[in-house]
Amino acid sequence: MERDQLLREPKGGKMKDGPIRCILLSEFHVVAGSKISCQVPENFITKEIFDSIRTYIIPKPQLQRCILTINTLGHKVIGYPVRINHVRYQRNFFYFNLCFVFDSWSRTVQYEAVVKKLSEYLLMMEEEGSFLSNAENNSNISNLLACILRDLNQRQVATIVEGDTTIYLKIGRLKSDPPVVQDHQVPLLCRGFEDTDLDSWDLTTQQVLPFINGINHVARIAAEADVENQLVKSCIQNLVYYGVMQLLPLLKYSNVYMCTRELQKLTRDRSLADECRKYVQLQHAEKVDTTVRLPSLFNILQLYSQMTHGVTLRSLCQRLCPRDNNIDERKLVSFGLQHNLIRCINKYPIYTGSIPTPKHKLYTGLNSLDEICCKTGLSPSRIEQEIDMDSNVTVIWK
């Protein structure tokens, strides 16, 4: 067991998603005490291991109807102990706990709702027809747990039909927390949500969405929508969490962009290339005339490949004239950022003098030029001019 566990355990001891190794049902016997009445697969949890954790499997009444997680001896066990009080039982009560067993390194928070829902379902079955306490149902319980184990591991969903009752179980997808939304960031609706009816959103989102166009930054959206800034940030953060929106850097012609390795996808993925050509075109055939052609992939790749350190978007446009090739440079940058084909290289000023002014206190090397612009209300050209004239300020590009 120890050798198998080491082979399965990820490097660095980090937690990651793992399969359900076992489902067991434990009950409190009036003579034998806590025991395993059923487990799938059989004998996965040995008597020695169970005896070491039995106090937590059938705990004191104060811990009933609570999710409990036990991590010991190479296993992580999630349970939801339940006590039923009724005169039909030998001591006027019946204890049971349905547990899911995982490897000790597994992330299990996404299974907690499933364990609770399944336990409540078994509680209902027990109250209606003594489904758990009747020994004649042991084979049915074993088959039921085997089906749940198989379906949840293979498809992350399971359907239970017992008599006239049907219950659906689904393992929720675990997402990381969304990033903190900054004033200078530009929200953009993801593909497929552009034409969503406003009536389907909450009131705050309805006020904010008309001003989200891939160009306006968060502070400007809050001002134009006449909505409190923090409320707009919370709204956008929520939409980012659910994959409805993504955040892009503020588009400025003084920005410097750099292509990434992902740019190779444009030459290998035909559908992505066609999508890019349609997205970045300056004139749309259905709006101008039917003879307008899509931009060539060669011209698009030429613009992307010329994006590097020291080359601003303004100088790139002056040299290659993308609009002469029916390419909107703003859409070109937006598409590249959305698909990670390019990245924005930001300026981070650092004040090295001894007596800083209130503005100099922002020059810590942690605040980008975009953040400083939003906080001070000054234009990038104005701040850049002041930085160039101040010998105590050093700029880092990263």
Side-chain angles (χ1 to χ4, degrees), residues 163-313:
D164 296 331
T165 305
T166 303
I167 187 171
Y168 302 94
L169 303 174
K170 182 176 182 180
I171 301 170
R173 188 176 61 173
L174 191 65
K175 295 183 178 181
S176 58
D177 293 336
V180 177
V181 179
Q182 305 290 345
D183 286 333
H184 64 279
Q185 292 179 309
V186 178
L188 177 69
L189 285 172
C190 295
R191 186 178 178 182
F193 295 96
E194 301 91 344
D195 300 324
T196 306
D197 189 4
L198 280 177
D199 293 337
S200 61
W201 303 103
D202 60 83
L203 293 177
T204 302
T205 307
Q206 289 181 32
Q207 285 183 268
V208 170
L209 275 183
F211 302 97
I212 295 177
N213 54 10
I215 298 175
N216 293 338
H217 54 77
V218 172
R220 184 174 180 180
I221 291 170
E224 294 189 0
D226 194 22
V227 178
E228 200 273 324
N229 185 278
Q230 195 58 45
L231 195 59
V232 172
K233 289 182 180 179
S234 298
C235 172
I236 292 174
Q237 188 180 40
N238 186 57
L239 294 174
V240 170
Y241 179 78
Y242 287 106
V244 177
M245 193 172 290
Q246 61 185 127
L247 296 171
L248 304 178
L250 184 62
L251 174 65
K252 303 191 305 294
Y253 282 90
S254 59
N255 280 358
V256 175
Y257 298 94
M258 184 176 181
C259 58
T260 69
R261 291 186 177 182
E262 298 296 316
L263 186 60
Q264 301 175 18
K265 289 182 179 179
L266 278 181
T267 60
R268 299 173 179 175
D269 190 336
R270 182 65 179 271
S271 62
L272 180 65
D274 291 342
E275 181 186 352
C276 180
R277 294 174 64 199
K278 293 176 184 178
Y279 187 92
V280 305
Q281 64 177 322
L282 183 64
Q283 297 176 329
H284 293 270
E286 62 270 21
K287 295 182 179 179
V288 183
D289 73 67
T290 56
T291 61
V292 173
R293 293 185 178 181
L294 292 174
S296 70
L297 184 59
F298 172 82
N299 290 328
I300 292 173
L301 286 171
Q302 184 183 37
L303 284 163
Y304 278 139
S305 62
Q306 295 295 316
M307 293 181 177
T308 186
H309 284 280
V311 180
T312 64
L313 181 60

Side-chain angles (χ1 to χ4, degrees), residues 348-353 355-369 371-390 392-394:
Y348 292 84
I350 301 176
Y351 180 72
T352 57
I355 306 176
T357 65
K359 189 185 298 181
H360 285 153
K361 291 180 179 179
L362 295 174
Y363 299 168
T364 61
L366 300 176
N367 296 320
S368 68
L369 186 65
E371 292 178 78
I372 296 171
C373 289
C374 286
K375 290 178 179 179
T376 60
L378 299 176
S379 65
S381 58
R382 170 75 179 277
I383 294 179
E384 286 177 342
Q385 184 179 7
E386 293 179 358
I387 290 174
D388 291 339
M389 296 173 62
D390 193 336
N392 290 318
V393 178
T394 303

